[in-house]
């Protein structure tokens, strides 16, 4: 198909992770697509990595359905049903490649390829503690793309890792930025950012309790880099939030925060997830004029007015 064009060239779209809290931000992503707002660079971490590639594929149905609770046949692909089938809490084999292969949640590879937008998703290298940013160059095929998104989303214990070229990766929320993806856009050279967050205004992470510290120490006893990053993630996340808020004050970053977050990262109830999506979509429609003012300098901007 012919190459596509984008209309936001000087500002990066960044999706925070957050597991099934992404049902809410899926509504925001789709509102942007419905308005014909197309960014030329998109990045995300963990669940935000899924939003990243789905947004670039411009498939509104996939954006809507990706975090509404998929089933592998008759069986849930997350939650207790997945655990009982020996697939861990999240059935990663199905949530990434499986649902594409069986046609439940197709991915529009042709549109993704035709879209010139830059793409970055991030993962944590288990053995070395390094941050790995995957870009389009790492996604020459659909299976490579799904492998990169899965690597960015692989929560310790809750999801089975699938090594890439012999390297084991875990959730990008453990790596640089502690789950906030703005730094990836900075690496790509951007100085203006539109961040879709999954936490309400004023949120800050708390230090881990002694019980949680002990659990992390036990879980990561063979992996010192993982242990260090998990124990200190709260502090790194809060510091990055402070930095982003400074960018907001400078007028370089718009952070779209949920009015409220009705679901948790591990919520699997479909009704609750659909409600979260609807709330996110409604919030974005309500605030769309402010988005357009930030992106285009015109709250009444229309896509069909573009040359």
């Amino acid at each position: 198909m012919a190459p596509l064009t984008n209309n936001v060239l000087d500002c990066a779209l960044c999706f925070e992770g957050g597991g099934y809290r992404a049902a809410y931000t899926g509504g925001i992503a789709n509102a942007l697509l419905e308005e014909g707002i197309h960014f030329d660079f998109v990045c995300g971490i963990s669940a935000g990595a899924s939003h990243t590639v789905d947004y670039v594929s411009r498939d509104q149905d996939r954006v809507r359905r990706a975090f509404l609770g998929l089933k592998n046949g008759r069986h849930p692909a997350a939650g207790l049903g997945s655990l009982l089938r020996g697939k861990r809490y999240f059935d990663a084999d199905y949530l990434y490649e499986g649902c594409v292969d069986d046609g439940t949640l197709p991915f529009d590879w042709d549109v993704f390829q035709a879209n010139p937008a830059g793409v970055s998703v991030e993962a944590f290298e288990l053995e070395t503690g390094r941050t790995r940013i995957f870009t389009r160059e790492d996604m020459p095929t659909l299976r490579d793309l799904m492998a990169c998104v899965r690597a960015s989303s692989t929560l310790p214990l809750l999801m089975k890792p699938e090594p890439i070229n012999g390297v084991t990766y875990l959730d990008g929320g453990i790596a640089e930025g502690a789950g906030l993806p703005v730094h990836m856009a900075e690496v790509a050279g951007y100085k203006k950012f539109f961040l879709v967050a999954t936490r309400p205004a004023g949120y800050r992470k708390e230090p881990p309790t002694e019980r949680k510290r002990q659990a992390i120490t036990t879980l990561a006893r063979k992996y010192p880099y993982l242990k260090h990053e998990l124990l200190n993630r709260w502090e790194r996340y809060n510091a990055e939030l402070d930095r982003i808020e400074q960018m907001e004050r400078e007028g370089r970053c718009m952070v779209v925060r949920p009015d409220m977050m009705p679901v948790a990262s591990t919520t699997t109830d479909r009704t609750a997830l659909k409600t979260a999506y609807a709330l996110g979509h409604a919030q974005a429609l309500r605030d769309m004029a402010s988005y357009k003012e930030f992106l285009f300098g015109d709250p009444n901007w229309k896509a069909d007015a573009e040359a």
Side-chain angles (χ1 to χ4, degrees):
M1 65 183 293
L4 302 177
T5 58
N6 295 310
N7 47 35
V8 181
L9 307 180
D10 64 342
C11 179
L13 174 58
C14 310
F15 288 108
E16 183 181 8
Y20 278 82
R21 291 194 297 272
Y24 194 107
T25 50
I28 296 169
N30 252 354
L32 294 171
L33 288 173
E34 291 161 9
E35 290 292 318
I37 298 174
H38 301 301
F39 289 77
D40 205 44
F41 181 87
V42 190
C43 61
I45 292 174
S46 194
S50 291
H51 279 340
T52 294
V53 298
D54 292 349
Y55 176 90
V56 172
S57 79
R58 300 189 183 180
D59 186 338
Q60 294 177 31
D61 185 61
R62 191 175 216 277
V63 170
R64 179 181 64 83
R65 294 174 56 212
F67 291 93
L68 296 186
L70 294 178
K71 289 187 175 181
N72 184 353
R74 294 181 292 108
H75 303 287
L80 181 60
S82 180
L83 275 172
L84 292 175
R85 294 171 58 238
K87 296 293 185 178
R88 303 197 187 185
Y89 193 88
F90 297 105
D91 181 359
D93 292 336
Y94 188 74
L95 289 171
Y96 298 96
E97 289 186 359
C99 65
V100 175
D101 290 343
D102 72 6
T104 297
L105 196 65
F107 185 87
D108 199 328
W109 178 246
D110 290 339
V111 173
F112 181 85
Q113 285 186 299
N115 191 334
V119 171
S120 290
V121 302
E122 178 179 287
F124 175 80
E125 201 168 294
L126 177 60
E127 298 288 349
T128 67
R130 288 194 292 255
T131 293
R132 172 67 188 271
I133 296 177
F134 296 103
T135 67
R136 275 190 178 273
E137 287 68 31
D138 301 297
M139 307 171 185
T141 70
L142 176 55
R143 291 199 175 274
D144 291 320
L145 177 149
M146 289 298 170
C148 292
V149 173
R150 176 173 177 170
S152 180
S153 308
T154 301
L155 291 164
L157 288 184
L158 297 182
M159 192 180 291
K160 183 181 74 174
E162 186 68 25
I164 298 175
N165 297 326
V167 179
T168 298
Y169 295 97
L170 294 179
D171 193 284
I174 304 169
E176 184 178 351
L180 294 162
V182 169
H183 65 280
M184 287 194 286
E186 291 175 301
V187 168
Y190 286 81
K191 300 183 184 302
K192 185 177 178 181
F193 316 97
F194 189 93
L195 171 61
V196 181
T198 58
R199 295 290 195 177
Y203 174 81
R204 288 294 188 276
K205 289 191 181 297
E206 297 291 333
T209 63
E210 184 57 34
R211 182 175 180 180
K212 188 170 183 179
R213 291 181 66 88
Q214 291 176 359
I216 290 171
T217 300
T218 300
L219 164 69
R221 62 187 180 277
K222 296 181 180 179
Y223 304 104
Y225 298 109
L226 176 62
K227 174 185 172 182
H228 179 269
E229 299 302 342
L230 288 176
L231 288 174
N232 294 283
R233 183 174 179 243
W234 69 277
E235 193 170 16
R236 295 185 295 115
Y237 182 92
N238 292 345
E240 184 67 358
L241 269 183
D242 291 342
R243 192 175 75 90
I244 289 168
E245 288 178 358
Q246 178 60 34
M247 293 181 191
E248 284 187 276
R249 290 188 288 270
E250 295 168 357
R252 297 195 294 122
C253 185
M254 171 169 273
V255 183
V256 179
R257 299 177 178 87
D259 291 338
M260 50 88 73
M261 179 51 69
V263 295
S265 61
T266 54
T267 297
T268 58
D269 180 82
R270 287 175 60 84
T271 299
L273 295 171
K274 288 179 180 179
T275 297
Y277 175 89
L279 289 170
H281 189 258
Q283 176 183 330
L285 294 182
R286 182 197 70 201
D287 296 340
M288 189 59 66
S290 65
Y291 303 171
K292 292 178 178 180
E293 176 69 34
F294 178 77
L295 295 171
F296 305 107
D298 179 2
N300 299 309
W301 177 90
K302 298 289 184 183
D304 59 7
E306 289 293 286

